[in-house]
Amino acid sequence: MARANYNYDQRYLLTLTGRVDGSSRFGAANQYGYFPSVALAWNVSNESFFTPTTLLNDLRVRLSWGKVGQTGINPYRTQGLASRTAFNFGDTPAFGFKPNQIRNDELKWETTTSLNLGIQFDMFNSRIVTEIDLYRANTTDLLLQRAIPTTSGFNSVLENVGATRNTGIEASVRTINVASNDFGGFQWSSNFNVAYNKEEIVELFGGAEDDVGNQWFIGQPINVYYDHEKVGIWQSNEAELAATYGQRPGEIKVRDVTGSGSITGDDRVILGQQQPKWQGGFGNQFSYRNFDLSVFLVGRFGSMIVSGIHDGGTNQLAGRYNNVRLDYWTPDNPTNEAPQPRADLERSVYNSTQRYFNGDFVRVRTIGLSYTLAPNIAQSVLGLQSLRFYVNAENPYIFSPYVQKHGGVDPETSTSNNTPAQWTLQFGINLSL
């Protein structure tokens, strides 16, 4: 790795970086990658024509371009591996080995090339500091598991499958709302950040065709939910129309996208994406004399979650396990929320369409309150250098259309597990002898 920095008159700054990385996780011909970068910064505040004012007292602009490599795969993924298996050797049980991974000598570095334009400006004697960044990141040679027909003996193979593009904006604002000399020692500061990102696949296997089997679509994010779209429940007055689709009242009705009069795989649509389009945070810190209070909120918007507790047999009422409380369809309750409960698995079609929900949420991440005993009291009365009492609440509140209506899984962690929203309360004492 090599880096060179140049600073001209505290106005113009240049950084050049070049690095060569090697990894034995890739094939012998592709183990090394070269990743250069260049960054320019212009301190406008130090120019002779810039005159600081109360409204604008500092201004900086920066531009950067660079490449980084990704080795996010386990060792030996280029090798053909075997795993132990059991079989009968005549009439005798025995152990042997079977292939469990397809060899791929062509695996190489996943590379992201980024262009970033940023600006920072301070206002009102730096009581408001704002940073804004615009970026575009192009990633090539994506390292992904590609599903293949199981008749090959394998479910998937790791390959460099295509390219994606991420375009977005990030902004942060730090403010001193009330300084200690404004109102008798009371202080209040805030920080706010927001980010928008648009992810899209631009190429797959050297072309611009969708890979429906892997649910990868040109112009869409990598992780999307692709399924039939539930539009309600077949009602009693729709019995004749439902029969043309091989269904009957009380069963899930999905959209006939093609208009063919029957539901096939071609009627599946992209319902939403796993990653949020927007996310941000808002924090506030207060202090007055010996008291300190901090509150931090986070939010995510534009994503979809999958609720495992609303999938599969949640409406079977088979008598072997508890069921989710749902507004079931019955002839006397013509709801469109949940189908009529049946233990007949053959009649329970399109159950997967019940598991998709709006993933938007705003969460109070932390609330912290502390009191620091006056130093003279801590030292003279208790013989301590310092004494501080505190209480912290983590994730005490969440505001989510899914949680408020269904009270189910945590929308922040639903992509990896199905745990409900939970919070913790912590009490503590910090002391120094």
Side-chain angles (χ1 to χ4, degrees):
M1 177 177 175
R3 174 176 294 169
N5 296 295
Y6 179 71
N7 185 335
Y8 178 74
D9 196 28
Q10 297 298 318
R11 291 184 293 164
Y12 309 104
L13 297 91
L14 170 67
T15 300
L16 297 173
T17 302
R19 60 181 298 158
V20 177
D21 291 314
S23 174
S24 60
R25 300 184 184 194
F26 297 114
N30 302 300
Q31 290 185 343
Y32 291 92
Y34 171 59
F35 308 106
S37 68
V38 56
L40 299 169
W42 179 25
N43 191 346
V44 184
S45 304
N46 288 339
E47 295 287 357
S48 58
F49 61 79
F50 183 86
T51 302
T53 64
T54 302
L55 180 62
L56 182 64
N57 54 272
D58 189 72
L59 178 62
R60 302 164 188 259
V61 181
R62 57 184 179 271
L63 178 66
S64 62
W65 173 92
K67 292 185 175 184
V68 294
Q70 163 73 294
T71 62
I73 60 174
N74 294 325
Y76 313 113
R77 294 311 303 266
T78 60
Q79 306 300 310
L81 303 183
S83 62
R84 198 167 80 161
T85 185
F87 68 101
N88 289 328
F89 190 76
D91 296 330
T92 304
F95 290 104
F97 291 88
K98 66 176 182 179
N100 76 334
Q101 179 175 292
I102 299 178
R103 183 183 185 94
N104 186 356
D105 293 321
E106 303 301 320
L107 283 181
K108 56 185 176 181
W109 286 84
E110 178 182 304
T111 303
T112 299
T113 304
S114 302
L115 179 66
N116 188 96
L117 174 63
I119 183 172
Q120 175 183 325
F121 53 92
D122 299 5
M123 305 172 64
F124 304 107
N125 298 321
S126 297
R127 292 186 65 159
I128 300 178
V129 178
T130 303
E131 294 187 47
I132 302 175
D133 287 274
L134 302 172
Y135 66 86
R136 168 162 287 186
N138 294 307
T139 302
T140 57
D141 300 319
L142 290 167
L143 290 164
L144 292 175
Q145 288 282 356
R146 180 169 71 93
I148 58 177
T150 55
T151 52
S152 66
F154 300 89
N155 295 321
S156 63
V157 59
L158 182 64
E159 291 184 350
N160 298 99
V161 299
T164 61
R165 177 186 298 124
N166 283 272
T167 307
I169 181 172
E170 297 177 347
S172 66
V173 180
R174 302 187 303 274
T175 64
I176 301 175
N177 307 311
V178 180
S180 58
N181 56 356
D182 292 340
F183 294 100
F186 176 71
Q187 299 181 68
W188 172 24
S189 61
S190 303
N191 56 81
F192 172 77
N193 64 82
V194 63
Y196 167 79
N197 182 71
K198 179 183 179 181
E199 179 190 15
E200 53 186 327
I201 299 174
V202 296
E203 180 183 307
L204 288 170
F205 316 113
E209 294 186 7
D210 297 337
D211 185 344
V212 179
N214 285 283
Q215 298 189 11
W216 296 331
F217 305 92
I218 301 298
Q220 298 292 332
I222 292 178
N223 296 310
V224 297
Y225 297 116
Y226 182 69
D227 204 341
H228 294 98
E229 180 185 1
K230 176 188 171 185
V231 294
I233 305 297
W234 288 109
Q235 303 299 324
S236 299
N237 59 0
E238 299 176 303
E240 185 176 343
L241 179 59
T244 65
Y245 288 94
Q247 294 188 266
R248 59 193 184 193
E251 297 179 344
I252 296 173
K253 177 169 60 174
V254 300
R255 188 179 302 279
D256 182 4
V257 176
T258 61
S260 63
S262 61
I263 303 300
T264 67
D266 294 334
D267 293 300
R268 291 175 296 173
V269 296
I270 297 173
L271 301 174
Q273 62 185 61
Q274 188 178 112
Q275 298 300 321
K277 297 178 181 178
W278 290 91
Q279 54 186 321
F282 181 48
N284 287 275
Q285 298 79 39
F286 308 90
S287 65
Y288 181 68
R289 296 186 178 180
N290 296 349
F291 289 94
D292 294 283
L293 173 67
S294 63
V295 182
F296 183 57
L297 293 80
V298 295
R300 295 182 183 177
F301 308 93
S303 66
M304 176 173 280
I305 65 170
V306 169
S307 172
I309 63 174
H310 288 87
D311 194 7
T314 57
N315 67 324
Q316 301 305 316
L317 297 182
R320 292 175 294 155
Y321 45 80
N322 290 330
N323 283 262
V324 178
R325 180 180 296 174
L326 297 173
D327 183 17
Y328 293 108
W329 183 96
T330 67
D332 298 326
N333 182 44
T335 178
N336 277 298
E337 181 175 338
Q340 183 179 25
R342 293 193 178 100
D344 184 359
L345 296 179
E346 294 183 358
R347 300 298 310 178
S348 300
V349 294
Y350 310 123
N351 270 333
S352 65
T353 62
Q354 301 182 87
R355 61 182 180 173
Y356 304 106
F357 295 91
N358 181 351
D360 295 351
F361 71 86
V362 174
R363 159 170 270 157
V364 180
R365 176 71 76 204
T366 58
I367 300 177
L369 177 64
S370 67
Y371 175 79
T372 303
L373 195 65
N376 59 333
I377 298 178
Q379 294 173 8
S380 61
V381 178
L382 301 175
L384 301 173
Q385 291 186 2
S386 64
L387 179 63
R388 174 174 170 267
F389 303 91
Y390 67 88
V391 55
N392 293 325
E394 297 185 4
N395 301 320
Y397 302 104
I398 185 169
F399 306 94
S400 160
Y402 170 71
V403 173
Q404 261 66 61
K405 183 175 181 180
H406 301 281
V409 301
D410 188 337
E412 188 173 7
T413 62
S414 63
T415 57
S416 57
N417 56 56
N418 290 305
T419 58
Q422 51 189 310
W423 66 284
T424 59
L425 189 63
Q426 180 184 42
F427 300 89
I429 298 175
N430 288 337
L431 58 88
S432 298
L433 299 176

